Amino acid sequence: MGKLQVCILGATGVAGQNVVESLEGHPWFEVSELAASQRTSGMRYSEATKEARFFDGLPENDIMEREVSNVETLDPMDYDLAVSSLPTMIAKIQEPIFARHIPVISTSSAFRYEPDVPILIPEINPDHVKLIDAQKKGRGWRGYICPGPNCTTAGLVITLKPINDAYGVKLVHMVSMQALSGAGEAGLRKTSDYRKKVEMNVLPYIENEEEKVRLETRKVLGSLHGDTLNEAGIEISCSCNRVHVENVHTESVFVDIEKKCSLDEVKRILSNFSGEPQTLKLPSAPKKPIIVLDEPDKPQPKLHGKLSGMTTMVGRLRRDPVFRNGLAYTLTSDNTDRGAGGGAVLTAEYLKVKDYI
Ligand SMILES: NC(=O)c1ccc[n+]([C@@H]2O[C@H](COP(=O)([O-])OP(=O)(O)OC[C@H]3O[C@@H](n4cnc5c(N)ncnc54)[C@H](OP(=O)(O)O)[C@@H]3O)[C@@H](O)[C@H]2O)c1
């Protein structure tokens, strides 16, 4: 059987470029279409991405020479699946057009909060995949929409999952220091007004981000009963900041847990955490979803490294003196890889293995 044909919606943006990169040389999937807006329609991909190019180098295949098409002109039936990295408002319109016929894996937040839509992270909540059946039945679609989490939620929930399973998480405070690439092309394009505001600076506001982290953390860590997803009863407060870092988000996390535990135990359960993608040896699964570092000045976004794009780095693990059973740590998470393209491709792999594609 040939490779499954993938249409990338929003292929010229930062998340879309990361999808392209994550699919390079993929054993099961092949990029069939690079689609974006009217603005870049008809351009070569290299031209359309030149002002906010996210690739380290040019892909080895012919991708950079391909012509970008307009999302609005495509026939979904020409593809086996779509990966959508469209802005929310556009995704709200376009994703259902595709999902009526084919699976849509999305990095956008357009459908994340709908009750019949899972926010799937295969290491954390693989059982939520069953919501897809309810979604297809309820909406009468042949395909479906399956989004991943917001890039800031991704690193946080991956570290909270093993802690919650072992000790029960009651309360979380988180302060983020988020990279420019998280703001898309406006963050990466050297001449953008948004980027200029962040340069040598910290912006203490990212629109809707704190609300997304709160809603999504509770949904991802929630439990499915029949077709109903019950949110995890964790209290969460967070403060999200944009900082002058090119890529990779950093988060300072403070957690109050129900059971007492030693720091050595916490380190062990974080380091040993793995899920179905690791058992199934999915092509994009990192060997270790979490690596715990002992050096007092790590993790750092600059040192996070391309090779660990799907791994969440944890460091500065310590007791928090304010909470009764308090833990504190710092994490770094690649917002484009784990938080967008790489995460979307891992989800597509999981859905294929589970016969949802
Ligand atoms: N950046 C991240 O780290 C990250 C992480 C997780 C999730 N996300 C989510 O992923 C989505 C894309 O984010 P991004 O950072 O990649 O944004 P971006 O760099 O601004 O890219 C936006 C993409 O959408 C396309 N687009 C814009 N308007 C369109 C329209 N009217 N019709 C069709 N295509 C249109 C753009 O095409 P043109 O080039 O033709 O304008 C471009 O390909 C967003 O929903 C975002 O929240 C991003």
Side-chain angles (χ1 to χ4, degrees):
M1 207 182 88
K3 292 186 186 181
L4 294 168
Q5 298 301 300
V6 185
C7 170
I8 304 176
L9 313 175
T12 54
V14 172
Q17 289 181 50
N18 191 270
V19 176
V20 171
E21 193 180 36
S22 304
L23 285 174
E24 205 191 330
H26 199 281
W28 307 339
F29 304 122
E30 188 165 74
V31 177
S32 167
E33 194 79 52
L34 299 164
S37 76
Q38 178 84 50
R39 187 182 74 84
T40 51
S41 169
M43 287 185 189
R44 280 189 307 144
Y45 191 58
S46 57
E47 179 67 16
T49 54
K50 75 168 191 261
E51 289 200 67
R53 173 83 48 82
F54 197 67
F55 291 117
D56 287 340
L58 298 182
E60 281 167 17
N61 52 29
D62 66 347
I63 288 272
M64 300 315 274
E65 296 305 315
R66 297 242 205 121
E67 195 175 296
V68 176
S69 30
N70 183 344
V71 169
E72 286 174 24
T73 64
L74 303 180
D75 181 350
M77 311 271 259
D78 289 341
Y79 317 100
D80 296 305
L81 73 147
V83 179
S84 164
S85 288
L86 292 168
T88 306
M89 295 314 288
I90 310 299
K92 274 202 164 88
I93 300 162
Q94 289 298 332
E95 289 182 0
I97 294 174
F98 283 78
R100 276 188 194 99
H101 306 280
I102 58 172
V104 177
I105 321 297
S106 176
T107 67
S108 111
S109 63
F111 290 88
R112 277 186 205 143
Y113 314 114
E114 309 228 346
D116 59 347
V117 175
I119 302 177
L120 201 69
I121 306 180
E123 279 103 340
I124 298 186
N125 57 356
D127 57 314
H128 292 195
V129 78
K130 293 192 199 99
L131 267 187
I132 287 176
D133 301 322
Q135 186 191 137
K136 288 174 75 168
K137 197 166 159 214
R139 299 186 189 227
W141 289 352
R142 296 233 311 275
Y144 54 85
I145 297 171
C146 183
N150 167 274
C151 48
T152 313
T153 311
L156 180 65
V157 283
I158 285 170
T159 58
L160 289 179
K161 166 75 177 166
I163 298 175
N164 192 38
D165 285 354
Y167 313 113
V169 171
K170 287 200 294 195
L171 196 151
V172 177
H173 293 317
M174 186 275 279
V175 177
S176 73
M177 290 145 273
Q178 300 185 212
L180 283 158
S181 60
E185 72 85 37
L188 286 190
R189 184 165 43 85
K190 301 278 186 252
T191 54
S192 100
D193 289 342
Y194 183 79
R195 187 182 166 102
K196 284 184 193 152
K197 274 205 284 187
V198 184
E199 273 170 356
M200 306 302 286
N201 202 6
V202 174
L203 287 193
Y205 174 67
I206 301 172
E207 199 181 359
N208 298 331
E209 195 78 352
E210 290 151 9
E211 185 67 359
K212 285 181 184 176
V213 172
R214 280 198 297 271
L215 287 173
E216 294 177 21
T217 301
R218 285 199 279 255
K219 184 167 178 177
V220 171
L221 295 176
S223 48
L224 196 64
H225 300 275
D227 293 345
T228 307
L229 207 154
N230 294 337
E231 283 186 352
I234 300 174
E235 287 187 77
I236 303 165
S237 72
C238 57
S239 190
C240 295
N241 305 283
R242 183 79 63 202
V243 298
H244 189 187
V245 165
E246 215 61 22
N247 192 42
V248 177
H249 291 350
T250 304
E251 299 172 30
S252 291
V253 186
F254 305 85
V255 188
D256 196 14
I257 54 176
E258 277 158 18
K259 290 187 210 156
K260 274 205 181 321
C261 61
S262 73
L263 285 181
D264 282 347
E265 255 174 61
V266 180
K267 184 178 173 188
R268 189 167 41 78
I269 64 129
L270 285 169
S271 304
N272 291 344
F273 175 64
S274 80
E276 283 197 47
Q278 285 68 37
T279 313
L280 294 165
K281 294 192 171 27
L282 297 180
S284 301
K287 273 206 182 90
K288 288 177 80 60
I290 301 172
I291 291 179
V292 182
L293 305 163
D294 288 322
E295 300 95 318
D297 64 346
K298 296 205 174 73
Q300 297 173 20
K302 203 169 169 180
L303 304 178
H304 189 93
K306 202 65 198 148
L307 283 177
S308 53
M310 292 292 284
T311 295
T312 302
M313 299 292 183
V314 171
R316 300 220 53 225
L317 183 61
R318 60 199 191 278
R319 294 230 165 269
D320 180 81
V322 174
F323 296 139
R324 206 157 69 93
N325 288 322
L327 295 173
Y329 55 90
T330 302
L331 69 84
T332 54
S333 173
D334 188 324
N335 53 291
T336 47
D337 228 348
R338 174 55 93 165
V345 171
L346 181 66
T347 295
E349 291 165 0
Y350 183 72
L351 292 168
K352 180 183 176 300
V353 167
K354 294 289 164 181
D355 289 330
Y356 279 86
I357 295 178

